Amino acid sequence: MDCVFCKIAKGEIPAKVVYEDDEVISFYDINPKAPVHVLVIPKRHFTNLMEEIPPPVASAILRGIRETVKKLGVRDYRVISNNGRGAGQEVFHLHFHVIAGITISPATV
Ligand code: AMP
Ligand code: ZN
């Protein structure tokens, strides 16, 4: 499958990795919209939240967000997931924007 985030998960294309474990990887957004803008993704491919996410994967994502935020050293942050083209989803591999540093409208992410 030609999916940029699957390729990042497999190490086939480079990314500035913040946190990684067996199920999850996080890396800096290539086009940051805030001083801190990191993407947390499951390594397994899911299109978005409309696919059934097995509970262990959902739990791993939440852990990945926590561990990412700890590594970043930020205290307050937002988590945003765009689901569907109309909501601004451009990469159709489930991902969560972790954003800190400024207040922005979710619609601009
Ligand atoms: P979304 O609009 O919610 O689908 O977000 C996709 C995000 O992925 C955008 O913020 C892009 O800047 C980011 N992005 C796309 N390709 C890459 C890449 N190769 N490395 C890091 N971030 C990327
Ligand atoms: Zn993928």
Side-chain angles (χ1 to χ4, degrees):
M1 188 193 305
D2 194 26
C3 169
V4 64
F5 286 179
C6 280
K7 287 181 180 158
I8 288 176
K10 290 183 197 144
E12 290 172 5
I13 63 171
K16 245 179 105 184
V17 174
V18 177
Y19 171 78
E20 181 171 10
D21 60 34
D22 285 348
E23 277 136 325
V24 174
I25 186 168
S26 68
F27 49 91
Y28 283 92
D29 194 294
I30 206 167
N31 181 21
K33 279 91 173 176
V36 175
H37 188 171
V38 170
L39 302 172
V40 179
I41 69 167
K43 289 185 170 176
R44 260 180 78 181
H45 183 94
F46 300 92
T47 302
N48 60 31
L49 287 173
M50 292 313 286
E51 256 185 67
E52 188 161 334
I53 314 299
V57 177
S59 171
I61 292 168
L62 295 181
R63 183 184 65 233
I65 291 171
R66 270 196 315 276
E67 295 302 326
T68 296
V69 165
K70 281 191 221 163
K71 288 218 167 180
L72 292 170
V74 297
R75 194 194 61 177
D76 303 321
Y77 61 96
R78 289 178 168 192
V79 178
I80 293 167
S81 179
N82 298 323
N83 287 263
R85 238 174 256 286
Q89 186 175 8
E90 288 174 359
V91 176
F92 287 83
H93 179 128
L94 177 64
H95 58 279
F96 296 84
H97 298 257
V98 171
I99 286 169
I102 55 164
T103 303
I104 56 164
S105 157
T108 63
V109 172

